[in-house]
Amino acid sequence: MAEGEKIISINIEDEMRGAYIDYSMSVIISRALPDVRDGLKPVHRRVLYGMSELGVGYNKSYKKSARIVGEVLGKYHPHGDTSVYDTMVRMAQDWSLRYPLVDGQGNFGSVDGDSPAAMRYTEARLKRLADEMLNDLDKDTVDFQPNFDDSLEEPSVMPAKFPNLLVNGTSGIAVGMATNMAPHNMTEVVNGIIAYLDNPDITVDELMQYVTAPDFPTGGIIYGYEGVKQAFHTGRGRVVMRAKATFETSKTGKEQIIVTEIPYMVNKASMIEKTAALINDKKIEGISDMRDESDRDGMRIVYDLKRDAMPSVVLNNLYKYTQLQSSFGVNNVCLVKGRPMTLNLQQLIQYFVEHRAEVIIRRTKYELAEAQKRAHILEGLLIALDHLDEVIALIRGSRDPEVARGQLISRFALSEVQARAILDMRLQRLTGLERDKIVAEYEDLMRLIDHLNAVLASDVLQRGIIKTELEDIRERYGDARRTEINYVGGDFSTEDMIADEAMVITISREGYIKRTNLDEYRAQGRGGAGSRGAVSKKDDFTEHLFVATTHEYLLFFTELGRVFWLKVYEVPEGGKATKGLPIQNLIEIPREDKVRSVLNVRGLKDPDYLENTYLMFCTEQGTVKKTPLEAYSRPRTAGINAITINDGDRILDVQLLAPNSEVVLASRFGRAVRFNESKVRSMGRSAAGVRGISLSDTPGDRVVGMVCLADPTQELLVVSENGYGKRSPLDEYRVTNRGGKGVRAMKLTEKTGNLVAIKDVNDTDDLMIINKSGITIRLRMSDLRTIGRATQGVRLIKIGSNDEISSVAKVAAEEKDESETEATLVVVDSSEELAESSSGVITVGVLDIELDDNTADEEPDAEDLA
């Protein structure tokens, strides 16, 4: 240790704590957080002040950016040139700042994330709006502080005639805290401040009538208003932003999604690249091509859609998986008197108004002092003019100016300043006209002094000046909102942009599923040949056909007793002649399993609905089970067990059950059992159920349908595999014990074939029948009269020799087309063959069937009465 040196032991924890706190405060105060008064961080303030001192105002020529950066670095900002240039560049980007403060010339980057050109290639100057930020800086309106080497002074805050923090926002990461403030519309903010000036006790909710929401420079849509309200009230909130998109059709007939505005701070090129990756990975389907057609006229991102894609579904998937929807986390942290604070909307306006009031007071005091100085000089000049001859003689008789000044002071009781002004006065001021000008100037100054004194003494006048200046700012720089507000939006919901409309859902035996608009199915006369429906493979045919709306849930019950969930709008759309997509592409059904029943429900969120709604299960071997819907209200991708299936059995049908419903089960050999749902107790999800009907001992018998009726006036329709069917009142199916063999549902013959379906119908229903070859017909139930339970029925659809009915469903009746020809009565022999045209559509006349000798109502046989 050298002589005279001394080592002092200190605690390293205390030293590290003190050093870290000093560093933290330096970052918080001098780097990362903006001042609530002018909304600027020190680097922004120094760039603007340096440009002003360099003389690159809005009405001056551009100067090289390197020259500006050097000026700021050398005088005010002791950090790297990159920080200064990046700051200046951002203040020049109209997609970064709602109201840019720097006018850049050259390549200043792009919304695609392209870097700006080097500072030696670009030029810049201040925007006119920046002049409003710096205005009155020379009138002692703000405090100045020494620069980093005490050689110069820089402003500690800008006078800021407009609320820059609110209109441009800011972001920054300090130590232990961060800020992220959204930009707003100038017109709205000024209107809000004026409302605050008129009523300082105004609430945040009242201010929100003027400042409705953030207004981002890239436009877009604010989706949902709760986050905005929370941010305005507390200073913290989450604002959801969406791109602005429209649907168009190209010249070639392709449907397109056109995006013209994207969320704030989203890199367009990166977003497109990530979207392409999602499309390649099949996470987003329905898009055939994507390209960026943006040019100098504006942004335009085009998504070409596949033929079977639904634009609203694709768009919502884009919102869900890409940056077409993003969020802005509002965190209004800024410096208030040197301390970081989180402020709400009312507080931000309050502190800005206080700053402007202080600026006006200091400016007024400065102007008053200057006016008083000038008035004092003019008073001396007027005294000299009133005693002109004596003053001239006194000056001519003096040996030098100092003697003359002393004599003027002693003779006329003048001040040093007044005497000097008289000696400096030019001879032309001695003319009468010039004297009048001095008198007029003095009178104007006295009025100005009175006004300035009144301003200093009156808060009302001070607020009036703030209001007038803000109105001028609004007039010159105010504009319309760029960002739309969707008040009804909320957390992301895929079905928000999808119309809730009826769809026909078809599922083939091979597992192909599609949805088709109900309007594509035209009602025909009973007995007609029908129109071509689903195009299927040679051995495939439609097995499930029903109607559901796009917002409903589909519950898929498989033959092995599992249940899966899917929204209707997630089912691919296709025309009547398309076969759809494999259901395994939509839900994770094992290869050895297949869908046996599909149920559509409106929602799975209401506890009362879930607990008071039951599902009735039925298997092909006649087992039934009743379970609350609540047991199936928690969707899982891999599905869950819905029922325990016995060996050799499989699920036939599952239906929603209304209280006190009548349950009717029909077997393939034409028997039906009817019992009340109360005969089946409620069971858990894993239960196997109880016996509902006893099947015939003859091999091949099984349950073909289940009907759950809440309305006793409903009628039952039974359909046989050869196209025969009939309507009968429910009362004709007498109540029997659950588990019995039941009564005859239809008289079966070789001509009719075995039973394939049982449905509850009335005159307001239409019936849709589809056979294994894909032929579909739609019948009005009002055209089919009611006949006895034990009859053979009438022909509903003409069946080919190697064909049979595969599926039957009821739909809401259509209005009858006046142009349709009423069906004529003809006798059809069961041996008639059907001709098929080259187009694959069966072509026969519109037929009706007269009853044969076997269709008369019959008395119940002994087996029925047993």
Side-chain angles (χ1 to χ4, degrees):
M1 184 173 64
E3 185 178 353
E5 290 185 357
K6 183 180 180 181
I7 297 178
I8 301 174
S9 298
I10 61 173
N11 189 314
I12 190 172
E13 292 183 2
D14 295 338
E15 178 64 20
M16 291 183 66
R17 182 182 296 108
Y20 188 74
I21 289 175
D22 291 342
Y23 165 74
S24 302
M25 292 307 298
S26 174
V27 172
I28 292 170
I29 303 300
S30 303
R31 188 180 303 177
L33 298 185
D35 194 295
V36 70
R37 296 170 291 179
D38 61 2
L40 298 176
K41 301 176 187 177
V43 64
H44 297 87
R45 197 175 297 118
R46 288 164 179 166
V47 169
L48 295 177
Y49 184 65
M51 293 179 72
S52 175
E53 290 294 291
L54 193 58
V56 284
Y58 71 92
N59 54 355
K60 303 293 177 63
S61 61
Y62 295 90
K63 275 190 170 57
K64 281 286 185 182
S65 298
R67 172 82 182 278
I68 298 171
V69 171
E71 178 82 4
V72 175
L73 282 181
K75 292 183 176 180
Y76 309 113
H77 196 67
H79 299 282
D81 58 350
T82 302
S83 64
V84 175
Y85 186 51
D86 288 350
T87 297
M88 188 180 74
V89 164
R90 187 174 187 277
M91 288 194 291
Q93 294 174 340
D94 57 5
W95 63 90
S96 295
L97 262 65
R98 182 64 175 83
Y99 300 93
L101 301 176
V102 173
D103 183 6
Q105 183 169 268
N107 176 14
F108 275 76
S110 72
V111 73
D112 287 324
D114 299 322
S115 300
M119 67 181 77
R120 61 183 178 274
Y121 299 121
T122 61
E123 297 179 338
R125 65 182 179 184
L126 292 174
K127 283 272 193 180
R128 185 165 187 170
L129 183 61
D131 190 58
E132 308 294 349
M133 176 73 68
L134 302 165
N135 199 18
D136 297 331
L137 197 58
D138 57 348
K139 294 184 178 180
D140 193 33
T141 52
V142 296
D143 293 332
F144 277 69
Q145 62 190 17
N147 69 340
F148 58 89
D149 62 358
D150 290 347
S151 62
L152 297 169
E153 286 193 333
E154 61 177 328
S156 60
V157 68
M158 293 296 183
K161 192 179 286 187
F162 66 95
N164 181 62
L165 188 60
L166 274 169
V167 299
N168 274 328
T170 188
S171 63
I173 300 174
V175 178
M177 63 187 67
T179 183
N180 199 36
M181 304 183 68
H184 296 80
N185 182 265
M186 179 76 81
T187 302
E188 291 186 356
V189 171
V190 169
N191 290 339
I193 296 175
I194 291 174
Y196 173 83
L197 291 169
D198 293 336
N199 176 22
D201 296 324
I202 192 170
T203 65
V204 174
D205 287 327
E206 292 170 335
L207 281 173
M208 288 170 61
Q209 298 177 10
Y210 303 95
V211 187
T212 54
D215 188 23
F216 299 106
T218 54
I221 300 170
I222 291 177
Y223 186 69
Y225 202 63
E226 286 302 315
V228 175
K229 290 173 62 177
Q230 187 176 7
F232 280 160
H233 279 86
T234 67
R236 298 174 64 91
R238 177 175 172 268
V239 178
V240 179
M241 305 175 294
R242 279 186 166 185
K244 185 176 293 184
T246 56
F247 301 139
E248 294 183 5
T249 303
S250 67
K251 295 180 181 179
T252 59
K254 279 189 175 181
E255 289 190 285
Q256 298 175 322
I257 296 174
I258 309 297
V259 174
T260 55
E261 296 175 7
I262 61 176
Y264 183 49
M265 299 304 291
V266 168
N267 185 314
K268 174 162 65 70
S270 175
M271 179 193 71
I272 293 175
E273 182 180 349
K274 292 178 180 178
T275 302
L278 290 171
I279 294 172
N280 291 334
D281 293 341
K282 305 297 183 182
K283 291 185 178 179
I284 298 179
E285 295 186 346
I287 298 176
S288 61
D289 189 23
M290 175 180 57
R291 58 191 176 276
D292 185 3
E293 298 181 355
S294 305
D295 55 23
R296 66 180 60 190
D297 296 326
M299 184 179 297
R300 180 180 171 88
I301 307 171
V302 180
Y303 300 86
D304 288 332
L305 304 186
K306 295 179 180 178
R307 184 168 53 184
D308 59 346
M310 185 173 185
S312 54
V313 174
V314 175
L315 178 59
N316 279 287
N317 282 331
L318 288 171
Y319 283 144
K320 183 175 183 180
Y321 294 110
T322 74
Q323 287 183 298
L324 286 186
Q325 174 172 303
S326 61
S327 62
F328 187 94
V330 177
N331 188 20
N332 293 340
V333 177
C334 52
L335 296 176
V336 180
K337 299 178 181 178
R339 301 185 61 182
M341 295 179 61
T342 302
L343 307 178
N344 62 23
L345 177 62
Q346 193 268 350
Q347 291 169 324
L348 288 170
I349 292 176
Q350 172 193 338
Y351 285 118
F352 171 76
V353 170
E354 288 179 359
H355 173 58
R356 283 305 298 170
E358 182 181 355
V359 167
I360 287 171
I361 290 172
R362 293 183 62 162
R363 183 182 68 189
T364 303
K365 288 180 178 179
Y366 175 85
E367 292 175 346
L368 178 60
E370 293 296 312
Q372 289 173 338
K373 288 179 184 178
R374 181 60 180 167
H376 182 64
I377 292 173
L378 292 178
E379 287 173 353
L381 295 179
L382 289 174
I383 290 174
L385 291 174
D386 289 341
H387 304 84
L388 183 59
D389 293 338
E390 185 178 356
V391 169
I392 292 174
L394 188 150
I395 294 173
R396 289 182 64 182
S398 300
R399 184 179 72 249
D400 54 40
E402 291 299 325
V403 174
R405 185 166 62 250
Q407 291 184 358
L408 286 172
I409 292 173
S410 61
R411 171 66 182 84
F412 299 104
L414 301 175
S415 68
E416 183 82 17
V417 175
Q418 288 174 325
R420 191 180 299 278
I422 292 172
L423 292 174
D424 292 340
M425 186 171 58
R426 298 173 63 183
L427 290 176
Q428 71 177 23
R429 303 295 300 273
L430 302 179
T431 62
L433 186 59
E434 288 295 321
R435 186 184 189 284
D436 292 341
K437 288 183 179 179
I438 292 174
V439 172
E441 183 184 356
Y442 179 73
E443 291 175 350
D444 290 341
L445 274 176
M446 296 310 295
R447 286 193 291 271
L448 175 61
I449 290 171
D450 290 340
H451 171 69
L452 294 176
N453 282 320
V455 169
L456 291 174
S458 173
D459 291 340
V460 175
L461 289 179
Q462 294 169 15
R463 289 177 175 269
I465 294 173
I466 298 174
K467 183 187 297 186
T468 301
E469 292 178 347
L470 285 171
E471 288 172 346
D472 178 62
I473 291 288
R474 180 182 61 190
E475 183 68 24
R476 287 194 287 167
Y477 305 104
D479 57 4
R481 284 190 63 88
R482 295 182 187 176
T483 305
E484 296 180 6
I485 306 172
N486 185 345
Y487 290 95
V488 299
D491 290 336
F492 177 76
S493 175
T494 310
E495 63 194 45
D496 289 327
M497 294 181 64
I498 299 174
D500 193 11
E501 54 189 1
M503 293 285 174
V504 176
I505 307 297
T506 55
I507 305 174
S508 73
R509 183 182 64 179
E510 296 293 330
Y512 286 86
I513 184 172
K514 68 171 181 177
R515 60 186 171 93
T516 306
N517 197 297
L518 187 60
D519 295 337
E520 288 199 29
Y521 290 86
R522 179 177 55 86
Q524 302 176 7
R526 177 173 59 81
S531 61
R532 170 66 64 178
V535 174
S536 59
K537 295 187 298 183
K538 181 178 180 181
D539 297 328
D540 195 13
F541 58 88
T542 298
E543 196 167 40
H544 302 278
L545 186 148
F546 61 92
V547 176
T549 63
T550 48
H551 286 193
E552 291 180 340
Y553 269 101
L554 298 181
L555 273 62
F556 294 85
F557 296 90
T558 69
E559 65 179 21
L560 298 182
R562 293 186 66 79
V563 60
F564 299 84
W565 294 262
L566 192 67
K567 280 282 194 176
V568 171
Y569 60 75
E570 295 176 329
V571 176
E573 187 172 9
K576 285 198 303 179
T578 61
K579 69 177 182 179
L581 292 179
I583 200 169
Q584 287 82 2
N585 291 359
L586 305 176
I587 55 178
E588 300 179 2
I589 299 178
R591 290 184 176 273
E592 65 275 8
D593 206 355
K594 62 182 294 187
V595 174
R596 293 291 296 170
S597 180
V598 184
L599 190 67
N600 51 294
V601 297
R602 169 57 69 173
L604 299 174
K605 297 288 182 65
D606 185 355
D608 291 337
Y609 171 72
L610 294 174
E611 293 174 2
N612 295 303
T613 303
Y614 290 86
L615 303 183
M616 181 65 79
F617 290 76
C618 175
T619 71
E620 289 189 348
Q621 295 301 315
T623 300
V624 293
K625 186 184 82 162
K626 183 171 70 174
T627 305
L629 178 60
E630 193 276 335
Y632 309 98
S633 63
R634 290 168 286 277
R636 292 179 58 183
T637 305
I640 61 174
N641 289 326
I643 185 176
T644 299
I645 299 295
N646 298 321
D647 292 340
D649 200 2
R650 59 182 181 174
I651 285 182
L652 171 72
D653 195 9
V654 184
Q655 293 190 27
L656 286 170
L657 196 62
N660 202 32
S661 294
E662 295 291 320
V663 180
V664 179
L665 305 178
S667 70
R668 185 167 181 262
F669 288 171
R671 310 294 295 181
V673 62
R674 172 187 172 189
F675 57 88
N676 192 276
E677 56 89 12
S678 60
K679 299 295 184 180
V680 182
R681 62 180 178 84
S682 178
M683 305 176 197
R685 181 166 56 84
S686 60
V690 295
R691 179 167 297 281
I693 186 173
S694 294
L695 299 176
S696 170
D697 295 333
T698 305
D701 196 13
R702 58 181 174 82
V703 178
V704 295
M706 174 180 67
V707 174
C708 299
L709 295 170
D711 182 5
T713 64
Q714 286 282 95
E715 295 179 327
L716 294 179
L717 170 75
V718 290
V719 181
S720 69
E721 58 190 5
N722 289 338
Y724 285 81
K726 62 183 179 64
R727 287 174 60 181
S728 302
L730 175 63
D731 291 342
E732 293 209 6
Y733 293 81
R734 61 184 178 85
V735 177
T736 61
N737 291 328
R738 173 183 60 80
K741 290 188 176 182
V743 299
R744 180 180 295 177
M746 183 177 187
K747 184 174 182 179
L748 302 180
T749 64
E750 183 177 349
K751 181 173 67 174
T752 63
N754 292 319
L755 213 60
V756 294
I758 182 171
K759 300 290 178 182
D760 57 305
V761 296
N762 55 39
D763 286 342
T764 63
D765 294 327
D766 280 4
L767 194 69
M768 296 187 68
I769 302 175
I770 191 165
N771 58 23
K772 291 183 179 181
S773 61
I775 303 300
T776 304
I777 189 171
R778 182 167 181 163
L779 307 175
R780 297 187 182 93
M781 282 296 95
S782 57
D783 293 342
L784 186 66
R785 67 183 182 88
T786 302
I787 56 179
R789 169 179 59 82
T791 59
Q792 176 179 294
V794 297
R795 179 176 290 173
L796 303 177
I797 183 172
K798 201 169 186 180
I799 301 297
S801 57
N802 297 319
D803 204 359
E804 63 183 33
I805 291 176
S806 68
S807 182
V808 178
K810 66 173 185 176
V811 297
E814 288 183 337
E815 293 184 5
K816 190 169 183 178
D817 190 344
E818 293 180 359
S819 64
E820 287 188 17
T821 305
E822 291 293 334
T824 55
L825 291 176
V826 296
V827 177
V828 176
D829 191 279
S830 60
S831 62
E832 286 184 342
E833 296 183 354
L834 300 176
E836 186 168 0
S837 69
S838 59
S839 63
V841 180
I842 301 300
T843 53
V844 296
V846 178
L847 306 175
D848 200 342
I849 306 298
E850 67 176 13
L851 301 179
D852 58 23
D853 294 338
N854 296 322
T855 58
D857 290 353
E858 298 179 354
E859 293 297 326
D861 55 22
E863 187 179 4
D864 287 344
L865 296 176

